[in-house]
Amino acid sequence: MRARFDDPRAFDPAHDEVQVTIRPGATTRVFLDLRPSLMVRSAPEPAQLFRITGQKQDSLVGETPIPLQPVFLEGGRFRFQAPDHADTTFTGESLLALRQSDGRALVPLRRIAETLPPAAPPIRVYRRRWVQWGLVGVGAVLTGAAALLRREGDQWYERYLESSDRRVLDSYFDRAEHYDHLSLAALGVGQVLFTGGVVLLVNGSDR
């Protein structure tokens, strides 16, 4: 039995012709796959095409370019292998989905030594928003603390001026001087952190 297309050149005995024996009183069913074959190509060529069988060794189908019948592709998994290229695995359905208007499917293979895209540079810590806002917050807190320390130092200095007890005068003066130094240090560090945080917020980002 043969199935012929309008164009005889499209006839392929591999799937358009089958020999059957018809016996009296028996029902004979014939399956003819009239779909055109798919020319499977690869970039680069040639590449070995294997059918994945799940065994220790896959079944070699042939080398690309190679025509394959849709019925052979359906339900199967295939592996392309070429020198200096990574193995590429496709299902038969995905190969059929690659069919182009000229009846072929082109499978690009990835080179093993393919240059990978450069990794994105890590974001510097000072460019992170939470760090920038943290600097502003800490700077504001230290600036406020400087005012409180200055006030505490002024109170000890007033006690120093008002006291007539020579036994505590040195202690009052030392405390006033200590709080004054702490106030200046907190104010200086706080202003630096606050200003730096504001500058980073204006000019910096998470990019």
Side-chain angles (χ1 to χ4, degrees):
M1 298 187 65
R2 290 185 175 183
R4 292 183 178 274
F5 294 91
D6 293 339
D7 185 358
R9 293 173 299 178
F11 176 77
D12 186 353
H15 62 98
D16 297 339
E17 182 181 68
V18 62
Q19 293 185 359
V20 296
T21 302
I22 301 178
R23 295 184 178 85
T27 301
T28 302
R29 292 182 174 85
V30 178
F31 175 78
L32 294 174
D33 189 356
L34 302 182
R35 292 173 295 177
S37 60
L38 177 66
M39 178 61 70
V40 179
R41 309 201 63 167
S42 63
E45 288 179 343
Q48 289 185 322
L49 177 62
F50 293 87
R51 184 182 179 96
I52 299 176
T53 61
Q55 306 293 331
K56 292 183 178 180
Q57 188 173 1
D58 296 332
S59 176
L60 176 63
V61 178
E63 289 188 344
T64 59
I66 181 174
L68 297 174
Q69 304 303 324
V71 68
F72 176 77
L73 291 171
E74 291 174 342
R77 295 178 65 240
F78 300 87
R79 175 171 58 86
F80 294 84
Q81 186 180 77
D84 300 329
H85 288 74
D87 289 0
T88 305
T89 302
F90 273 87
T91 63
E93 285 73 13
S94 60
L95 287 174
L96 289 172
L98 292 175
R99 182 194 296 270
Q100 300 177 2
S101 59
D102 56 357
R104 67 187 181 97
L106 179 63
V107 179
L109 305 181
R110 182 176 61 86
R111 290 187 60 87
I112 295 177
E114 181 179 11
T115 303
L116 298 178
I123 300 176
R124 294 184 175 89
V125 175
Y126 68 84
R127 288 189 176 274
R128 297 184 182 275
R129 285 290 184 181
W130 66 269
V131 173
Q132 297 167 358
W133 281 110
L135 292 176
V136 173
V138 173
V141 170
L142 288 177
T143 301
L148 297 177
L149 292 171
R150 180 62 182 270
R151 180 181 178 184
E152 186 71 15
D154 291 342
Q155 291 177 351
W156 283 107
Y157 188 70
E158 290 177 0
R159 293 175 187 175
Y160 167 77
L161 294 176
E162 296 173 356
S163 178
S164 59
D165 189 351
R166 293 183 177 275
R167 292 174 300 178
V168 297
L169 287 179
D170 291 341
S171 175
Y172 287 171
F173 184 81
D174 291 341
R175 290 189 179 184
E177 189 177 37
H178 175 68
Y179 280 108
D180 187 56
H181 290 164
L182 288 179
S183 174
L184 291 175
L187 179 62
V189 175
Q191 287 297 302
V192 170
L193 294 179
F194 183 85
T195 304
V198 171
V199 171
L200 290 175
L201 282 173
V202 172
N203 299 327
S205 66
D206 285 331
R207 295 191 302 268

